[in-house]
Amino acid sequence: GAVVSQHPSWVICKSGTSVKIECRSLDFQATTMFWYRQFPKQSLMLMATSNEGSKATYEQGVEKDKFLINHASLTLSTLTVTSAHPEDSSFYICSARSPGNTEAFFGQGTRLTVV
Amino acid sequence: TQLLEQSPQFLSIQEGENLTVYCNSSSVFSSLQWYRQEPGEGPVLLVTVVTGGEVKKLKRLTFQFGDARKDSSLHITAAQTGDTGLYLCAGVFWGSQKLVFGQGTRLTINP
């Protein structure tokens, strides 16, 4: 299957700082990327859908000013958690889909801990 | 809101037994995927079903897509301890591009 690389795998940051997470499709062009959040022992909750070159579409209840998503190229999308607080601590996962495909492939996830 | 209900959420059985996990919605899917996720990692795609009534097999795993494309099931035959993990169904609803997940099934196979 296609490879999606997410970086970093884990990050610890201080409260009030911003953290950027990268999601790259390594061997295919991803016109659509998805960002998810996963709490312990729970399923994945869709945060936003991003299409290359356009603004991301956020799910209800997700603060677009707090979770900045940029999908500037066909192989890279970034999620920036701004002014992070301890309640933002979670497992963030991206996935990518190529044009005309129904399958989405996932990155390894990023465990964010805000202290 | 288009919801995807997955059941059971927890299942603990003995090695050698069979089991079925269900994924249901009131809306039609254009496609549905099943994933398996290990702790601290991203989900890994097991199968994609697209056609109503479709059946796909992956060794001891059998995936079925309902005729109306509103439900799907995952059946595991003769479960092994290595099958232990979190199984997730995820669907793309007709007319949408979003991939939405069910609640997941945490499966434990006891030796």
Side-chain angles (χ1 to χ4, degrees):
Chain A
V3 180
V4 176
S5 177
Q6 194 172 332
H7 179 81
S9 298
W10 60 271
V11 57
I12 301 173
C13 71
K14 289 187 176 181
S15 193
T17 62
S18 295
V19 174
K20 181 185 283 188
I21 302 169
E22 291 187 347
C23 181
R24 293 181 185 272
S25 56
L26 298 186
D27 52 1
F28 67 101
Q29 292 185 331
T31 49
T32 305
M33 287 188 172
F34 305 93
W35 287 95
Y36 294 84
R37 185 172 180 175
Q38 187 175 30
F39 292 104
K41 300 190 185 301
Q42 293 189 24
S43 186
L44 282 72
M45 182 188 75
L46 182 63
M47 298 175 66
T49 302
S50 75
N51 290 294
E52 185 266 337
S54 61
K55 289 185 178 180
T57 302
Y58 290 82
E59 294 300 298
Q60 195 171 10
V62 178
E63 298 175 61
K64 61 180 67 176
D65 294 331
K66 180 167 189 61
F67 298 101
L68 301 179
I69 292 171
N70 184 283
H71 191 167
S73 78
L74 285 171
T75 59
L76 174 65
S77 177
T78 61
L79 166 67
T80 302
V81 183
T82 63
S83 187
H85 290 284
E87 56 265 30
D88 298 325
S89 298
S90 191
F91 194 53
Y92 292 88
I93 311 174
C94 72
S95 74
R97 192 165 68 201
S98 58
N101 259 323
T102 57
E103 297 170 341
F105 296 94
F106 284 79
Q108 310 93 312
T110 297
R111 182 156 303 284
L112 170 63
T113 303
V114 185
V115 297
Chain B
T1 303
Q2 294 168 317
L3 294 175
L4 212 159
E5 298 288 334
Q6 188 174 342
S7 63
Q9 293 187 36
F10 298 93
L11 184 58
S12 179
I13 62 173
Q14 294 301 119
E15 194 170 25
E17 294 183 353
N18 303 330
L19 66 107
T20 303
V21 177
Y22 300 93
C23 190
N24 296 287
S25 175
S26 58
S27 301
V28 176
F29 298 108
S30 60
S31 69
L32 187 140
Q33 284 94 48
W34 286 91
Y35 293 85
R36 177 174 170 174
Q37 186 182 23
E38 300 298 332
E41 299 179 11
V44 174
L45 180 66
L46 296 175
V47 78
T48 298
V49 287
V50 178
T51 306
E54 187 174 4
V55 177
K56 284 191 173 179
K57 292 197 173 188
L58 189 65
K59 296 183 181 178
R60 293 176 293 101
L61 278 60
T62 302
F63 304 87
Q64 195 159 7
F65 201 18
D67 291 340
R69 291 189 296 175
K70 292 183 178 181
D71 58 272
S72 181
S73 64
L74 157 60
H75 182 80
I76 300 180
T77 304
Q80 300 176 357
T81 55
D83 295 329
T84 293
L86 178 65
Y87 290 83
L88 298 154
C89 66
V92 179
F93 289 104
W94 196 261
S96 169
Q97 63 170 339
K98 298 189 293 188
L99 182 64
V100 179
F101 279 81
Q103 300 94 326
T105 296
R106 193 162 297 278
L107 175 64
T108 303
I109 308 300
N110 303 300

